[in-house]
Amino acid sequence: MVEVNVLKELNTRLRNKGRIWINEEYMEAGELIKKELFLRISDFGFTVGFDHYPDKYEDTTDLYITYLRKDFDRLSDAIDFCAEALSVKMSDFLER
């Protein structure tokens, strides 16, 4: 469960910026691998997107390790999903 003050902060950031991005890169077997997560305001409420892929497949989503888009009515549900299913820390959201 997300603390109320964290939800307020994230909601303000989303209203001002439209989205929050979290990007990571790492090397595996000599190959660049990218992880990109976004949280944005959408027509449905809030959308979480998560892409995990070798850099060489950047525009070929059917070859991604993970390609996920999920809509939520409530910001708290979107944040909880990111924390539980994608292991995103609250500090990752707050630093962006």
Side-chain angles (χ1 to χ4, degrees), residues 7 10-11 14 39 46 72-80:
L7 277 176
L10 293 176
N11 190 42
L14 286 169
L39 173 62
F46 300 92
F72 297 89
D73 294 328
R74 299 177 340 158
L75 177 57
S76 60
D77 293 338
I79 297 295
D80 286 343

Side-chain angles (χ1 to χ4, degrees), residues 60-73:
T60 314
T61 57
D62 56 330
L63 297 176
Y64 280 21
I65 298 164
T66 306
Y67 177 82
L68 172 107
R69 300 295 183 269
K70 191 163 175 73
D71 295 315
F72 297 89
D73 294 328

